[in-house]
Amino acid sequence: MAERIFLNRENQNDNVFGSVEMVDTKDFFGGREVASKLDKVIISNNKVVHTCSPSYGLLANQDFFGKMEEELVLEGLNFKTRSFNHNDSRFSVDYILNDESKIITVNDQRNNGIDDTIVPMIRLTNSYDGSLKTAGYLGFFRKICHNGMHMTTTQLEFKVKHTKGKMNLFIPNIEQLVQRFLSNEMFFIQDKIQKMKTHFIDEKQIESWIKELAKQDRVWADNSEENFLMRLREAEESGEDLSKVIPAKQSQNIEIVKNILIRDAETTGVEPNAWLLYSAFNEFIHSSTSQSFTKQKELDTRVFNSVAEIAGAH
């Protein structure tokens, strides 16, 4: 049986509540004049992360993530968190809802395996450098691999009030939003998951499935022989140095995704299937790439829809 201890690990929780302030550029540079229309500097944890105009609306994490946590507590919702801090400038927090009534079982304990369950999760994103939209949406947390799944479209509709360079946030009723999500979008996603889990994959074909999906959905760079020959022809036609064309090579990512799939199949006691194929890509996208939160969500959604189509669940 695959590593059961994997299931007991703690969620990642980076500190997202460090200090942040927006100061005048002139004051920051000791009174020196600065030849720039960007009159403000944003400092996060004593690090300059952004320059901006006076009208830029800074939403501090304490006022965003903190406000969400207050609302969840106020509504009596049980939750755990996962938080990510990228260079004190980009942040995301997942609020994983622990209510037993919201647990969805994908695969039960067959063949002495472990339940494969998912629960609703709220993801919030914010940035101090302007690189990431302040946003929130519903997704899922898969307990067996501690991963978030972001193929959903239900978003949190925030009301934001701008006042003198600051933003005040008004959060809607969370429980009502979650219930609408479970009754509507979740219903269709669950139907797709059920079809995916019964679409089995021959172990000998796992690598070819991974290669095809990665190429189709552009999960990683295509270094195949076919792509190499195409780049070689293009370089030759344009008169470029052929020695600089990166040769074809087998991507290590294929083996990484395959190993995740096999691990989950052994852990849950089921045959490799389309659901586990998507889940393996999901874990790879969120743990083995340095993509932005937005890009990860886009990749996650593309792969989920592609695998669902393969399984006849489109």
Side-chain angles (χ1 to χ4, degrees):
M1 187 63 61
E3 312 158 62
R4 289 176 181 265
I5 192 171
F6 181 80
L7 304 175
N8 299 320
R9 72 181 187 185
E10 292 296 320
N11 294 331
Q12 178 174 340
N13 269 295
D14 297 342
N15 179 23
V16 297
F17 294 116
S19 63
V20 62
E21 59 179 332
M22 186 162 64
V23 300
D24 289 339
T25 305
K26 186 175 180 180
D27 292 341
F28 179 76
F29 286 102
R32 296 182 180 89
E33 293 292 337
V34 179
S36 172
K37 294 181 180 180
L38 301 176
D39 299 329
K40 298 289 183 178
V41 173
I42 295 178
I43 304 171
S44 174
N45 274 344
N46 296 316
K47 182 188 302 179
V48 174
V49 295
H50 196 38
T51 55
C52 57
S53 68
S55 62
Y56 183 85
L58 174 65
L59 179 60
N61 288 341
Q62 186 63 53
D63 297 329
F64 185 37
F65 303 134
K67 183 90 171 178
M68 171 59 75
E69 294 183 13
E70 288 176 6
E71 183 65 28
L72 289 170
V73 171
L74 186 65
E75 294 187 28
L77 294 172
N78 294 321
F79 65 93
K80 289 185 178 180
T81 62
R82 290 194 316 164
S83 55
F84 304 90
N85 177 341
H86 287 188
N87 203 31
D88 292 318
S89 57
R90 290 181 290 130
F91 314 89
S92 75
V93 177
D94 295 336
Y95 298 94
I96 304 156
L97 305 183
N98 283 335
D99 192 329
E100 291 291 326
S101 66
K102 296 180 175 65
I103 294 176
I104 297 160
T105 300
V106 178
N107 290 316
D108 55 19
Q109 294 179 327
R110 291 181 289 173
N111 304 324
N112 297 317
I114 295 174
D115 281 356
D116 188 356
T117 58
I118 56 177
V119 293
M121 178 189 80
I122 300 168
R123 164 159 286 196
L124 301 186
T125 58
N126 192 32
S127 70
Y128 292 156
D129 62 0
S131 66
L132 193 63
K133 182 181 178 182
T134 298
Y137 56 86
L138 273 292
F140 302 104
F141 180 77
R142 187 175 180 233
K143 290 189 173 185
I144 198 170
C145 62
H146 285 236
N147 271 349
M149 296 181 160
H150 309 279
M151 66 297 214
T152 55
T153 59
T154 301
Q155 296 189 6
L156 292 178
E157 299 296 333
F158 302 120
K159 292 182 180 179
V160 180
K161 183 179 180 182
H162 294 259
T163 56
K164 295 183 179 180
K166 291 186 178 181
M167 297 169 67
N168 295 317
L169 189 73
F170 300 90
I171 296 177
N173 184 282
I174 303 302
E175 176 63 22
Q176 289 181 6
L177 180 67
V178 171
Q179 290 303 330
R180 287 200 302 271
F181 169 66
L182 292 175
S183 301
N184 295 290
E185 186 172 12
M186 179 56 213
F187 177 80
F188 296 103
I189 289 177
Q190 192 170 8
D191 181 62
K192 289 183 178 182
I193 291 174
Q194 293 305 314
K195 291 177 180 176
M196 289 163 69
K197 79 173 190 178
T198 56
H199 189 91
F200 298 103
I201 302 173
D202 189 317
E203 285 200 32
K204 295 178 181 178
Q205 297 180 333
I206 290 176
E207 285 193 14
S208 62
W209 282 72
I210 294 172
K211 287 180 185 178
E212 185 60 33
L213 276 170
K215 179 180 178 181
Q216 174 182 314
D217 293 324
R218 304 184 300 280
V219 180
W220 56 70
D222 182 5
N223 292 321
S224 65
E225 184 69 24
E226 178 184 359
N227 183 266
F228 167 68
L229 293 175
M230 180 186 72
R231 288 183 285 109
L232 202 60
R233 285 194 299 271
E234 291 174 349
E236 190 173 22
E237 291 171 0
S238 61
E240 296 179 19
D241 185 352
L242 300 185
S243 66
K244 294 183 178 180
V245 179
I246 301 174
K249 63 179 180 179
Q250 177 80 352
S251 174
Q252 294 180 339
N253 296 335
I254 295 172
E255 194 65 23
I256 293 172
V257 174
K258 179 182 178 181
N259 288 340
I260 295 171
L261 192 158
I262 296 299
R263 180 204 70 203
D264 285 358
E266 292 177 352
T267 302
T268 56
V270 300
E271 296 297 318
N273 56 51
W275 164 250
L276 296 183
L277 177 63
Y278 157 69
S279 299
F281 268 104
N282 167 270
E283 181 171 334
F284 173 83
I285 290 167
H286 294 282
S287 64
S288 301
T289 69
S290 57
Q291 305 277 11
S292 68
F293 301 129
T294 303
K295 184 65 174 177
Q296 287 176 343
K297 178 172 170 56
E298 290 174 359
L299 283 174
D300 201 3
T301 302
R302 281 208 303 268
V303 172
F304 179 81
N305 290 333
S306 294
V307 176
E309 185 173 354
I310 290 170
H314 47 143

